[in-house]
Amino acid sequence: MTSQTTTGTPDATDSVEEVLDVQAPEAEGPTVASAEENEKSHRSTPRSAAFRAFIAQGWGPAPAEDLTAGSAAPFAARRREVLSSLFPGEVLVVPAGSLVRRSNDTDYRFRPHSAFAHLTGLGTDREADAVLVLHPREQGHEAVLYVRPQGSRESEEFFADARYGELWVGPRPSLTALAAQTGITCHDVAALADELGAGLEQAKGSRLLADADPAVTTLVAPLRGDVPEHADDEFVTALSELRLVKDAYEIGQLREAVAASARGFEQVVRSLPQAVGHPRGERVVEAAFDGNARVDGNGVGYETISAAGDHACTLHWIRNDGPISAGQLLLVDAGVEVDSLYTADVTRTLPVDGTFSDAQRRVYQAVLDAADAAFAVARPGVKFREVHEAAMKVVADRLSAWGMLPVDAATSLEPEGQYHRRWMPHGTSHHLGLDVHDCAQARREMYLEAELREGMVFTIEPGIYIKSEDELAPAELRGIGVRIEDDVLVTADGVENLTAALPRDPDAVEAWMASLR
């Protein structure tokens, strides 16, 4: 594994450029640090020749590696075939990305670029600095995965490199094991430049996922020659659109993410007695969900929103540092990311006391009716934007009835109107998958203007947000923010609410909360 959060020494963290062999590789066998290096370092890492010889000795065989194919491998192979067909004769380069520095000498836990995960089937924290290359052949492409190989126990990396060394972060998989697990030929990443250079000489062109790893972009740039202006942008778009329709493996992973998220929401309800009255009650709730996500999955798919009272009217409230008081509503927008990196995205708005007030129920029911209207139109053949339009009709109607619009609902719904969007400024739906806002680089005609197709997964999440200082709203509705968000799978003849196990009806919400408390 190469992705633990670590504390490293300045002389013990190889740069990504070194991993890619931009600089000269380390010499074989023990070497002794120079007197100048020892004098500058304030660390206590032993560097004598005697120590280096000693630490390399006395190790038994490493634990046996898993040589079985991962369950995602055949699906990832099919995705690569589709990508290959889009760019015949061209070299395609998809980096996983590198470790990202959090501060000083500590890194964030690694997460590979979603396109890399999609095409390799690798999840969790695998594999920093890796690069997937599809080399063109007479028929299709040959996939090669370039990875940093296991470090030798005779090398300084083994004991002194806090970013990559086995004693610090554990062993990396061997090339053999990784090839068996992914079904992809694996080469040492140090060979990337030479093999890319040779391949590019024979290729019609190349495409690069340029934003994934700056070091790879720097390495590849001089090898590519002249590249058409929009070639890489078209590649990014294709990688995004490749994920618009989910395969059976992806749908299964999303079901697991939803189930884990439902368990997390149960923990949220159970945490409310502790959260009420706590000076940071919102963080008590956040910790309940996030802790469950880390135990039940890989972690959260995005920063949890735990928003009580007026904070619920801030759409992306992730500070979560406020108190939770009796009588408030609590909006929780949270999703578990499972080990494959597929994430759920769920919002429930809960009465802190377990019972909605009349004013809270009025806003909540309006949002629920808007969500149900979106569900009613969602089916294959309907355009993606029509789901949003159905929800907005209900929102505009209710806001008009409450005297909050300067015009009637129909006029507000016109393109030159849109007054109701003051209280519902976001879209009703977005695609969901490896990214919480999946397929975001897809073309408009393939997203908003596209027809729903079997296998698409997206959210339905209308809301109404009435800030406490909003003088256009009835006094009793001010400070109320409600969103209801479900994850939806398009089937052959309709849609399936993947998150249906979490109650949505206000009476059902109250009963569910009572059963958990």
Side-chain angles (χ1 to χ4, degrees), residues 253-452:
Q253 293 302 299
L254 286 165
R255 290 187 188 278
E256 289 186 16
V258 166
S261 300
R263 293 188 288 271
F265 272 88
E266 291 176 357
Q267 294 302 318
V268 164
V269 174
R270 294 189 178 105
S271 75
L272 285 175
Q274 178 190 357
V276 173
H278 191 287
R280 289 191 170 188
E282 291 174 341
R283 289 199 183 173
V284 173
V285 169
E286 176 190 3
F289 187 92
D290 290 11
N292 181 80
R294 189 64 181 145
V295 172
D296 220 2
N298 191 50
V300 291
Y302 52 96
E303 293 293 335
T304 296
I305 296 171
S306 176
D310 194 52
H311 285 168
C313 300
T314 300
L315 300 181
H316 287 171
W317 175 259
I318 59 172
R319 189 175 298 158
N320 301 341
D321 62 354
I324 296 176
S325 303
Q328 288 182 319
L329 290 180
L330 173 69
L331 187 156
V332 180
D333 186 335
V336 173
E337 176 187 85
V338 292
D339 287 350
S340 61
L341 304 182
Y342 288 84
T343 185
D345 182 9
V346 188
T347 306
R348 290 294 183 265
T349 305
L350 310 172
V352 171
D353 294 341
T355 304
F356 292 97
S357 71
D358 290 344
Q360 291 168 349
R361 183 178 279 260
R362 194 189 330 169
V363 178
Y364 187 97
Q365 189 65 54
V367 174
L368 180 61
D369 290 346
D372 287 345
F375 269 98
V377 302
R379 61 186 179 276
V382 169
K383 288 191 175 182
F384 193 84
R385 61 173 169 76
E386 294 180 56
V387 177
H388 173 73
E389 292 168 356
M392 289 304 94
K393 289 179 182 178
V394 175
V395 169
D397 178 73
R398 300 305 166 84
L399 293 172
S400 176
W402 299 338
M404 295 168 63
L405 298 181
V407 296
D408 60 51
T411 302
S412 185
L413 289 165
E414 293 295 325
E416 59 273 16
Q418 301 293 301
Y419 300 98
H420 57 285
R421 297 300 295 276
R422 170 184 172 126
W423 295 279
M424 167 54 182
H426 59 81
T428 302
S429 300
H430 59 77
H431 282 271
L432 182 66
L434 282 165
D435 292 334
V436 64
H437 294 158
D438 210 26
C439 314
Q441 284 74 43
R443 292 165 291 173
R444 180 182 179 89
E445 61 266 29
M446 296 295 289
Y447 202 126
L448 290 177
E449 300 299 332
E451 293 183 354
L452 300 182

Side-chain angles (χ1 to χ4, degrees), residues 4-18:
Q4 304 300 314
T5 302
T6 60
T7 300
T9 63
D11 57 352
T13 50
D14 292 344
S15 68
V16 178
E17 288 80 1
E18 290 171 322

Side-chain angles (χ1 to χ4, degrees), residues 48-61:
S48 69
F51 170 78
R52 296 192 60 156
F54 178 72
I55 199 170
Q57 299 172 4
W59 302 104

